[in-house]
Amino acid sequence: MARTKRTAATFAWRLLKSDMKLLAYPIIHVVLMIVLLWSMWSMIFDISAMELASSAEDAAMMHQESSSETDSTAYQREHERESSDINNIFGHIHFGWLFVFLIINALIGVLSVGGLTAQALTIARGERKSLAYGYSMALARLPQLLMWW
């Protein structure tokens, strides 16, 4: 069993070393994810990223301070303030656009995995194809990829 795992790992490592183009698929996926988040930020959130981070940090700091207190009424007041701050953050999120963002991001991820798989299979067969070949094969097999998803 261990020998089989070692053999599979060395095969994958040799495959990656033979064509570093395989690393482009995850890098492209991360870049597209960041671009998608940047372009959809104003649709998902009402406030800027700095304001959102500040609200989350304030809520975390209040939780940390309230956990050190022993008075139950003070703890209860702090807990109510924390929950209102968290609800305030959730009040700035448009969940419909967040859902659209997650679906598009998942679709990009599925296409990237499909493209990576197609490219790895061609390399294993000894062929050399372009980076676009992997994505074209992923698009051609999109129904199967969506069923797998």
Side-chain angles (χ1 to χ4, degrees), residues 62-81:
M62 280 191 281
H63 177 71
Q64 186 178 18
E65 290 170 3
S66 66
S67 64
S68 63
E69 293 180 8
T70 57
D71 186 23
S72 63
T73 57
Y75 175 76
Q76 198 170 27
R77 273 187 280 123
E78 290 296 323
H79 183 67
E80 289 171 5
R81 270 188 43 207

Side-chain angles (χ1 to χ4, degrees), residues 74-127:
Y75 175 76
Q76 198 170 27
R77 273 187 280 123
E78 290 296 323
H79 183 67
E80 289 171 5
R81 270 188 43 207
E82 287 173 23
S83 63
S84 69
D85 284 344
I86 297 294
N87 289 334
N88 190 23
I89 291 172
F90 286 136
H92 291 288
I93 298 175
H94 298 286
F95 288 101
W97 285 113
L98 180 63
F99 182 71
V100 169
F101 166 77
L102 293 173
I103 294 296
I104 294 171
N105 193 19
L107 184 63
I108 291 170
V110 166
L111 286 174
S112 293
V113 168
L116 177 65
T117 303
Q119 192 69 261
L121 287 173
T122 58
I123 293 171
R125 282 186 248 135
E127 303 171 14

Side-chain angles (χ1 to χ4, degrees), residues 37 40-49 52 89 92-94 97-98:
L37 180 62
M40 290 188 72
W41 183 271
S42 63
M43 292 184 276
I44 297 171
F45 299 103
D46 285 345
I47 57 179
S48 70
L52 185 68
I89 291 172
H92 291 288
I93 298 175
H94 298 286
W97 285 113
L98 180 63

